Structure formats: structure tokens, C-alpha cells
Amino acid sequence: MAAVGSAVGLGNIWGFPFRLGAGGGFAFLLVYLILVVFVGYVVMLGELTIGRKTGKSTVHAYVELSKKYKAIGFMGIVSGFCILAFYSVLGGYVMKYMFGFLMEMFRGDNFGGMSSGEYFDNFLGNVGQGTLWFVVFQAITILIVMGGVAGGIEKFCKIAMPALVVMLVIVIIRSVTLPGATEGLAFMFKPDFSKLATFSDFMGVLRSAAGQMFFSLSLGMGCMITYGSYLSKKESLQFNAMFIPIADTTIAILAGMAVMPAVFALGFEPGRGPGLLFVTLHGVFMSMGGFIGPFFGFFFYLLVTIAAVTSSISLLEVCASYVIDKRIIEGKEPNRRKYTIMIGAAIFVVGLPISLDGLGAGIMPALPESLGWVWLELYDFIAEGVLMPLGALFMSLIVGWVMKKSFGEEVRLEGNKFGTESFVMICAKYITPIAMTFILVTQVMDFFGM
Ligand code: PFF
């Protein structure tokens, strides 16, 4: 459940719908689901197993397998830094919306008469306010990790996650009953292969779906190695590696069904990019009218904030646990508080350009036009686009070609079943490495405009 708490977050609610919109709906969904089965499941099982076998967090787990693998662990920490930097900025936006709907419940002035788009643009342009919410979100993450109360949060999560599902269902009902909404459902579920017609279209969708999958399942950066290290030997790794992706993907699809019908019904552009969730759902809640709209809006964003925090603490934990474990191994006082604050503060500095950029509406200089990105997308590219596929590539090679039989032995401990062993080994040896190499090569070619 703790791992589900890490996996379910902004990746599902914010990332999945906007990438689904940009990736042509059905085409993206299809490629995403295939990737979850052939890559996600395998990498999830690989990370959980390496974690449980070594009993260590990312870097130290790889070192335990072999000193040569240390760099793979470090890549995970860099990914964690990049992701948490933009994650906290977005978490701040979610909190701003939560607060906005709370105010609206009492004021009831239709957000000062502003449309969804105007309200969002107005907020983004106000980088001081965006940065303030970024600080608030980051501070909450630091305080929880510092206090080591993450266990308490996970208990809380057992109520918040089902509540989030109920809330998503309420939003879906409202969204699909808006006039013109069926087009959005058709966009998601009606087979349409035109977006995959050429090789370059296909690679574009594959890259975006793969990045989204790593991000959403918290894979490719060793986060699940840390969670695996807490699993008891009795626990079935195979079951966990199936359950986490199924729960995560279900919530992502629900979020897609909440957003996409409304995108079409309210006349937004599905490929609008990272602002899609905020603008669209604002429209959905306001269409509920009166007090009830802002009321649901407030609860929805409260639950999304909780989901985001249970993910952001795992991101900070990946970075902080490296330093803390290192000190324990060196026989020094771990000093959890001090190192968590220091790392959290460093991530704040790294994230500042993203918050000052305000998804392109702020005061940061624009990135080269050839890239066509806002600053958030640059960080996203470094982590999801390069480091995570690279991490998954190395990890599957280790599982398939180095650990081989000893991998299966760990999974089968205490009489646990491993019926998918041949499938996992074929994927780890060939399918995942080939898919990741393709993704990385075309990613680099695309970046350099080749
Ligand atoms: N999986 C989280 C989400 O979907 O929001 C984000 C995340 C958490 C990514 C932890 C990576 C990670 F290690």
C-alpha cells in the first residue's frame, strides 16, 4: 500500500490525461498498456526483488550487487532531484486550486468572473504566488520525511486513496454527462491507429508513453528498490509487482475519463499540454454550479494534494536515504533532520527556475524555440526521457544476464510462486533492453534535431 501511495500521484491525475491528450487518445492508451505489461511489470519486479534481496536503498543496493553498478544508483538520485523539483511546483499549483475552491465556497463569486483559462493564466503569471505555494508544498514534504512519520501517512493513505477513487467517479459522472462529452470517450477508447501511422509518429507516442509509465509507476530510479528493501521474505514479490501497476493504471485511466470528456464538451484543446488538468476540471466543477461545485472542487484537490504528498515523500526519501544510509555504513550519526533539510533546500533551489517560469507565463528566459518546451518539460526530459529509461535498461540487463537464476530464487523464497519467470526473463533479457535502446536513441536524435 505504501508503494501504491508512491505510485499514485500527480503522474496519474495530472500527467496521464495531458499526455493522453497530446498522444492522440486511443493510440497513447494502447501503447501505454502494452508498455505496462512488457516493461512496467518486469522493471517493477526487478526493482522490488533487488531491494528485498539486498535490504538496501538505491545506491547501496546496486553496490551490493557489484561496485561497478554504483553509477546506476546515482542516476536514480539525479532523477529524484529533477522530478521532485517540478513535482513540488505542481503540488503547489494543486494546493492553490484547493485553496481557491475553498474560498469560492464562501465567496461564491465565480472566481471573480474569470473563465477557467483566465484564472489559470492569471495565477501562472503571478510567479510570487506560484513560488509561495511551491515553498509550502516542499516544506510539507520535508517536514514529513524529517519527522520519519511517513508510516503514519501511509495509514492515512488507506482512507485517502479509496476516497480519491470515489471522487474521481463523481467527477467522471459529471464530466460524461456534459453535452458533447461522448467525443472525449471515443477519443480515448475508439480504435484509431492514425496516430501510429508513420515510424516517427509511433516513436513519439512510444517515448511519451514510456516516460509517463516510469514516472507514474515510480520506476527506473530505484524508488521501488527502497520499498522492496522493507518487504518481508514471506511477501509475494510477483503479486506486489502486479498489484501496484494495476492499481496505478486503473487510477490513471479514471483520471483520463474524468478529464477527456470534459475537454471535448467544454471546447478545450486535448493537446494543450501541462495545464490541461487545471483548466479542464475547473470548468467541470464550475458547471456543477452553486455551492456544490466549489465543494467538490475543494475535496478533489485536497485528495490530489494527499496523493501528491505520499509520492513526494518517496522522492525525497530516495535522495535523503542515500546520505543517511551512507552515514550509517560509515558508523556516523545519521542525522536525518539535518540531511533532509539540506537536500530539501537544494531541491528547492533546483526547482526555482520552474516556478519562476510559471509554465512559460513567468519571468524565466524562454528555452530555445527548436525544443518547444517550458522549463518544467526540460527537467521532465532529463528524468523521464533519459535517466529513467537508462536506469530501466541497465537494471533489466542485470536481472536477465547477471542475476539470472538467483533472481528467481529470491522471488520464490518461502514457497512463493513465480509462474511468470520465463516471461520476465525474456522481457528482461531482450524486450526491455531493445525498447529502451530505441527510446533513448530516438530521444537523443530528436533532441539534437537529427
Ligand atoms: N509516481 C508518482 C506519481 O505518479 O505522481 C511520482 C514519482 C514518485 C515518481 C516517486 C518517481 C518516484 F520515485
Side-chain angles (χ1 to χ4, degrees):
M1 280 313 283
V4 172
S6 162
V8 174
L10 298 177
N12 309 60
I13 317 275
W14 160 83
F16 187 81
F18 102 75
R19 292 204 179 92
L20 178 82
F26 176 80
F28 180 93
L29 182 62
L30 181 70
V31 174
Y32 186 85
L33 292 176
I34 293 174
L35 276 170
V36 171
V37 176
F38 287 91
V39 180
Y41 167 60
V42 177
V43 178
M44 180 68 78
L45 184 62
E47 290 202 8
L48 290 175
T49 307
I50 290 176
R52 196 180 72 176
K53 188 172 164 61
T54 59
K56 303 232 159 64
S57 63
T58 326
V59 178
H60 296 102
Y62 277 114
V63 172
E64 178 117 349
L65 293 177
S66 163
K67 284 218 167 59
K68 330 183 267 235
Y69 302 150
K70 194 171 185 175
I72 310 174
F74 274 118
M75 272 175 8
I77 294 186
V78 177
S79 298
F81 247 78
C82 292
I83 296 183
L84 189 53
F86 75 75
Y87 208 82
S88 300
V89 174
L90 286 169
Y93 291 0
V94 168
M95 291 186 77
K96 153 79 187 174
Y97 268 76
M98 174 181 81
F99 186 72
F101 279 111
L102 181 67
M103 291 291 111
E104 181 61 25
M105 254 156 75
F106 298 109
R107 265 203 233 116
D109 70 347
N110 260 332
F111 287 89
M114 277 187 265
S115 70
S116 308
E118 281 166 354
Y119 181 74
F120 190 52
D121 291 341
N122 192 34
F123 168 58
L124 288 182
N126 187 343
V127 289
Q129 211 190 111
T131 306
L132 186 74
W133 284 108
F134 167 38
V135 173
V136 173
F137 187 87
Q138 179 75 344
I140 294 174
T141 307
I142 294 174
L143 282 173
I144 294 172
V145 174
M146 203 170 82
V149 293
I153 286 283
E154 302 311 344
K155 287 202 194 87
F156 186 47
C157 202
K158 284 190 183 158
I159 305 167
M161 288 292 154
L164 178 65
V165 172
V166 172
M167 186 53 92
L168 277 171
V169 171
I170 293 174
V171 180
I172 290 172
I173 293 171
R174 173 68 276 213
S175 188
V176 298
T177 49
L178 288 167
T182 36
E183 230 181 296
L185 287 177
F187 178 72
M188 265 180 93
F189 297 116
K190 193 165 158 230
D192 170 12
F193 297 95
S194 60
K195 287 284 185 310
L196 305 173
T198 67
F199 181 71
S200 91
D201 287 344
F202 170 71
M203 281 315 296
V205 174
L206 180 68
R207 284 201 310 255
S208 151
Q212 169 62 25
M213 184 202 67
F214 289 125
F215 178 52
S216 189
L217 293 176
S218 309
L219 289 179
M221 51 167 283
C223 179
M224 289 297 165
I225 293 185
T226 313
Y227 280 94
S229 75
Y230 296 127
L231 278 177
S232 92
K233 299 281 182 197
K234 282 208 194 82
E235 198 77 45
S236 162
L237 290 165
Q238 183 178 249
F239 170 76
N240 276 284
M242 287 180 185
F243 178 73
I244 304 164
I246 290 174
D248 187 78
T249 306
T250 307
I251 295 194
I253 293 175
L254 288 179
M257 288 170 67
V259 173
M260 230 22 96
V263 166
F264 283 84
L266 302 175
F268 293 116
E269 170 53 42
R272 192 185 192 279
L276 190 70
L277 172 82
F278 298 100
V279 174
T280 311
L281 288 196
H282 186 273
V284 173
F285 291 121
M286 292 321 282
S287 77
M288 290 178 177
F291 176 79
I292 205 77
F295 173 80
F296 278 130
F298 166 71
F299 270 104
F300 176 80
Y301 281 105
L302 173 69
L303 294 168
V304 178
T305 302
I306 295 170
V309 168
T310 57
S311 302
S312 66
I313 55 177
S314 72
L315 281 159
L316 184 55
E317 191 70 51
V318 168
C319 304
S321 64
Y322 163 64
V323 187
I324 294 167
D325 281 2
K326 186 167 181 286
R327 290 186 63 86
I328 293 173
I329 290 168
E330 288 165 355
K332 296 188 189 139
E333 172 61 34
N335 219 335
R336 187 177 188 93
R337 285 173 162 259
K338 179 173 146 196
Y339 289 106
T340 308
I341 295 180
M342 277 169 60
I343 292 169
I347 292 173
F348 171 74
V349 174
V350 174
L352 207 52
I354 303 172
S355 121
L356 295 179
D357 182 48
L359 297 181
I363 55 174
M364 282 297 284
L367 291 167
E369 213 168 301
S370 57
L371 291 177
W373 289 338
V374 296
W375 278 76
L376 182 149
E377 288 166 300
L378 174 67
Y379 284 55
D380 195 22
F381 172 76
I382 297 170
E384 265 180 55
V386 180
L387 294 176
M388 291 163 123
L390 205 56
L393 169 65
F394 287 130
M395 200 228 53
S396 44
L397 290 175
I398 293 171
V399 168
W401 298 95
V402 182
M403 293 175 80
K404 294 186 278 196
K405 289 228 153 44
S406 68
F407 183 82
E409 282 158 17
E410 177 67 34
V411 179
R412 267 191 249 97
L413 281 181
E414 306 259 352
N416 275 305
K417 300 239 162 19
F418 189 17
T420 56
E421 184 166 12
S422 326
F423 171 76
V424 168
M425 282 300 156
I426 292 174
C427 291
K429 276 187 174 161
Y430 309 105
I431 299 181
T432 306
I434 293 171
M436 294 305 106
T437 309
F438 252 110
I439 287 170
L440 286 160
V441 170
T442 56
Q443 195 81 281
V444 171
M445 284 169 60
D446 209 43
F447 185 81
F448 291 106
M450 292 194 284

